[in-house]
Amino acid sequence: MRRQRRLGLAALPLLLLLSPFARAGVQLVVDGVDDTLKGPVIAGVELSQYANREVSDAQVRRLFDRAPDQVRTALEPYGYYEATATGDIQQVGADWRVTLHVKPGEPVMVTAANVTLDDKAAQIPAIRRARRAIERLKGQQLNHGTYDASRDALSAALTANGFLNARLTAHRVEVDRGARSARIELAWDAGQRYRYGQVRFEGSQFKEGFLQRYVPFKRGDYFQQDQLLQLQQALNGADYFSVVNVLPDVDEAKEGVVDVTVQLAPAKRTIYTGGPFVGTDTGGGVRAGMERRWVNRKGHKWKNELVLAQRLKTLSTLYSIPMPGENQRSFNFGANFRDADTTTSKSRTLELVANESRLWHGWTRTIGVHALSGTFTVGKQAGENDDAEGIERGRSTLFYPEASLSKKKADNPTFVRNGWSIDIYARSTVGTLLSDASFSQVAADAKWIRAFTRRDRLILRGSVGYTWTNDFDALPPQLRFFAGGDRSVRGYGFQAIGPRNSYDRVIGGRNLLVASSEVEHYFTRNWGMAAFVDAGNAFNGTDYRPRLGAGLGLRWLSPVGMIRVDLGTPIRDQREHGVQLHLVIGPDL
């Protein structure tokens, strides 16, 4: 039989007096406050510690009597200094069920928040913002946690901006319980502002002075903690070291000068990579690579890669000369042999590249020259002989400057919920200088991702391009525009659609316009599905006839990255029918 008695907490429950035996535990229930306050109340009441512990009747009596004071103490940090509590207690089998009815009362409000700070420190933006955060507490409900965080933020801002000996000389919160008001009084003695001394590198494999280019400050500049973080990130990003520790020698600082010691350990100098891969545009294949993280004591880099796939074979080498600094500049020299066989073309080319890349107003800017030479055929279909009627063949050599801009932003590189990317390039020969034809070309690719619920994403993608040339037939396939494939119009093969010649063979076009929309829904954290519609085509002049593809796909956020498997089909196309499989492995942006 269950018995219940409702009592004030100050009274002794008769039920407790009648039972001398130990009980298995106490179930504590709190009402009268929202979840924000319920957690602190439960944590502050000792009864909550006996949920899974045996407790005697005498212990329950003592704990029950203490509960009102413990509730009041638990709520004071949240501004409630007049909290009261009454309670119910029930014996449920061998256990106790205690319900606390809490009335938090009226909160204490902050009526003044005064901060005393040296003028020289108060003029620094980061410190000024931290000070204003404290002053904005005026008019708000008193919250000890918010007060502590704001006070500590200002102390941290002083240290981060070179006031290494700053002292908190006054810190008071004066509470008037009768008036339900509080005054905050804070004062700091900022002291001297420190400057940078010398930066010493320990364990470096490079010649003296090379790593100084990564340092984002000069000797004599005011000390700023975020610049030390920038230095650490820059050295980690250079990929030369396995260990990077940036340590300001604060304890050894003299006369307002702080030296910085950077402890380094070289990373493995040579990296070998390799393994199989698969993609519907390239077919199955293997990839192997070798990279020298540094070639010499000047920090030069050398990277090589071999790709052997069903429809693509490449051998590339790239030699880079980093020029460390704020703009992360580098000079790059490379060569690339490419043997490609798509749905509509085949080419074998050698390309030489020399360029300079750097950060430029938040973009990655690359300016350089290309020399491209090789043979190609366009219009050939699978299984046909090279001498089939209508196939176009060519051999050309082209020399052209190229400039590109790229930028991307993402909240998470593994699974983007909010982000975008854009790539723009322009290339042009100088008339027919060292070239079999003259041409100019501009193009851009953009992608935008936005999560509109916790499990759903909208992905928009677009590509546009335009070409001027005096001899289109001399352009190899990689300088022509085609549509179709995994990253174009799904439902069609790779580069399967575009302008046709008089023999009804796809030969590519001067211009390109493609757009895509896709919605993803995730059933679990790693598995989801997608529905998509793609539209576009390559074309000449103004004869734009977009092709439409649509379908469904599967998404798996695997340990090696996002895997996308799509089934697409052409819509209202008299030439193309059936379902096309598309497989893509790689990041969202």
Side-chain angles (χ1 to χ4, degrees):
M1 177 180 294
R2 175 179 297 178
R3 295 179 292 169
Q4 177 176 347
R5 182 166 298 181
R6 186 180 185 89
L7 300 169
L9 291 181
L12 290 178
L14 179 61
L15 184 61
L16 294 176
L17 295 175
L18 296 177
S19 180
F21 302 105
R23 303 299 178 185
V26 177
Q27 179 185 359
L28 179 63
V29 178
V30 175
D31 61 29
V33 292
D34 59 23
D35 291 341
T36 304
L37 299 178
K38 189 178 294 184
V41 169
I42 293 174
V45 173
E46 287 182 89
L47 283 166
S48 65
Q49 301 175 14
Y50 290 86
N52 298 305
R53 296 166 55 187
E54 287 192 355
V55 58
S56 69
D57 293 352
Q59 285 177 300
V60 171
R61 181 177 66 247
R62 289 194 301 271
L63 295 172
F64 195 69
D65 289 342
R66 297 172 186 167
D69 291 338
Q70 292 171 351
V71 169
R72 184 167 54 253
T73 301
L75 291 180
E76 283 185 359
Y78 298 87
Y80 297 97
Y81 281 72
E82 300 176 352
T84 60
T86 58
D88 296 334
I89 186 167
Q90 297 175 354
Q91 183 180 342
V92 182
D95 296 330
W96 296 103
R97 176 185 174 91
V98 176
T99 302
L100 296 179
H101 308 292
V102 178
K103 294 182 178 179
E106 293 296 323
V108 170
M109 305 299 292
V110 178
T111 56
N114 300 318
V115 179
T116 302
L117 194 62
D118 297 1
D119 290 341
K120 60 183 178 182
Q123 295 174 2
I124 298 173
I127 297 174
R128 187 166 60 246
R129 288 192 296 269
R131 179 180 186 172
R132 289 175 179 171
I134 296 175
E135 293 172 341
R136 282 196 294 268
L137 295 178
K138 181 180 178 180
Q140 298 184 24
Q141 181 176 325
L142 176 63
N143 185 300
H144 293 195
T146 303
Y147 160 76
D148 290 342
S150 301
R151 179 199 63 210
D152 294 345
L154 182 46
S155 292
L158 286 165
T159 302
N161 286 274
F163 296 96
L164 304 182
N165 295 327
R167 294 185 302 110
L168 183 61
T169 58
H171 52 97
R172 298 190 307 275
V173 179
E174 302 170 353
V175 177
D176 185 338
R177 294 173 184 260
R180 300 190 184 97
S181 65
R183 290 178 58 88
I184 296 174
E185 298 290 341
L186 291 169
W188 277 267
D189 178 9
Q192 182 179 12
R193 189 179 186 188
Y194 281 68
R195 297 176 182 269
Y196 288 113
Q198 62 178 330
V199 179
R200 295 186 297 268
F201 293 92
E202 298 178 353
S204 169
Q205 65 271 41
F206 300 112
K207 69 176 185 178
E208 186 176 354
F210 173 70
L211 294 180
Q212 290 290 342
R213 301 177 185 176
Y214 287 94
V215 179
F217 51 84
K218 298 177 181 179
R219 185 168 185 166
D221 289 350
Y222 282 119
F223 178 94
Q224 294 188 56
Q225 210 164 47
D226 60 346
Q227 291 179 329
L228 300 183
L229 180 60
Q230 291 177 26
L231 174 58
Q232 179 148 357
Q233 291 174 337
L235 292 173
N236 281 322
D239 200 31
Y240 292 129
F241 308 105
S242 60
V243 175
V244 178
N245 293 319
V246 180
L247 306 173
D249 301 329
V250 177
D251 294 338
E252 304 296 328
K254 297 179 181 179
E255 298 179 356
V257 176
V258 180
D259 293 336
V260 178
T261 300
V262 183
Q263 298 174 344
L264 304 167
K268 187 177 180 181
R269 186 172 188 177
T270 305
I271 306 172
Y272 298 96
T273 58
F277 71 94
V278 62
T280 46
D281 289 351
T282 61
V286 295
R287 178 182 286 110
M290 185 277 286
E291 180 181 358
R292 293 278 280 181
R293 282 186 163 122
W294 69 93
V295 176
N296 51 35
R297 298 187 68 228
K298 297 180 180 180
H300 296 185
K301 294 174 174 288
W302 185 34
K303 185 175 183 179
N304 303 276
E305 185 180 54
L306 173 67
V307 174
L308 298 174
Q310 291 173 285
R311 293 184 287 277
L312 177 66
K313 300 172 181 61
T314 65
L315 177 62
S316 61
T317 184
L318 179 66
Y319 191 89
S320 298
I321 304 175
M323 305 294 288
E326 184 178 352
N327 57 14
Q328 299 180 24
R329 186 183 182 196
S330 70
F331 293 99
N332 311 291
F333 307 90
N336 180 40
F337 172 77
R338 177 185 176 92
D339 186 347
D341 189 357
T342 73
T343 304
T344 56
S345 68
K346 186 174 182 179
S347 61
R348 182 173 293 178
T349 57
L350 175 64
E351 184 175 20
L352 303 179
V353 180
N355 62 42
E356 180 249 25
S357 65
R358 66 168 68 192
L359 292 180
W360 183 72
H361 298 289
W363 296 72
T364 298
R365 187 193 74 183
T366 303
I367 299 176
V369 293
H370 294 242
L372 178 67
S373 181
T375 61
F376 58 88
T377 61
V378 290
K380 182 180 179 181
Q381 299 176 0
E384 284 189 322
N385 294 326
D386 290 343
D387 57 355
E389 190 176 27
I391 295 177
E392 299 184 7
R393 302 170 185 80
R395 174 189 294 272
S396 64
T397 297
L398 299 168
F399 176 81
Y400 54 91
E402 179 178 288
S404 67
L405 291 172
S406 64
K407 187 176 184 178
K408 66 179 178 180
K409 287 189 176 181
D411 56 356
N412 186 326
T414 304
F415 184 81
V416 179
R417 297 185 59 81
N418 293 289
W420 56 269
S421 68
I422 184 167
D423 296 278
I424 306 170
Y425 69 82
R427 51 173 70 122
S428 177
T429 58
V430 183
T432 56
L433 177 66
L434 303 178
S435 302
D436 294 329
S438 66
F439 81 97
S440 299
Q441 189 175 78
V442 294
D445 297 293
K447 193 172 185 180
W448 182 83
I449 301 175
R450 181 61 52 91
F452 56 93
T453 73
R454 188 170 62 88
R455 294 180 176 270
D456 300 282
R457 297 196 301 176
L458 173 65
I459 302 175
L460 303 178
R461 170 174 51 83
S463 299
V464 60
Y466 194 87
T467 306
W468 299 265
T469 180
N470 68 342
D471 187 359
F472 182 77
D473 293 340
L475 299 184
Q478 56 261 56
L479 296 178
R480 304 184 185 194
F481 291 119
F482 295 84
D486 302 339
R487 295 175 174 83
S488 182
V489 181
R490 286 165 287 188
Y492 294 86
F494 180 52
Q495 296 188 352
I497 49 180
R500 297 172 179 265
N501 63 11
S502 58
Y503 293 89
D504 201 33
R505 296 179 179 274
V506 176
I507 60 171
R510 288 176 165 83
N511 312 317
L512 177 71
L513 184 59
V514 172
S516 169
S517 63
E518 178 177 313
V519 175
E520 294 181 344
H521 175 76
Y522 284 83
F523 305 104
T524 69
R525 183 176 180 179
N526 297 324
W527 288 92
M529 66 173 295
F532 61 86
V533 176
D534 302 336
N537 206 343
F539 60 101
N540 293 318
T542 59
D543 186 20
Y544 179 57
R545 302 178 184 181
R547 297 290 184 265
L548 188 66
L552 300 174
L554 182 67
R555 300 292 180 265
W556 177 34
L557 186 56
S558 75
V560 298
M562 181 67 75
I563 296 179
R564 307 169 186 81
V565 181
D566 292 327
L567 294 176
T569 184
I571 304 298
R572 296 181 181 178
D573 191 328
Q574 297 179 354
R575 295 177 180 273
E576 301 287 344
H577 306 280
V579 175
Q580 184 82 25
L581 172 68
H582 300 277
L583 173 63
V584 177
I585 303 174
D588 289 319
L589 297 176

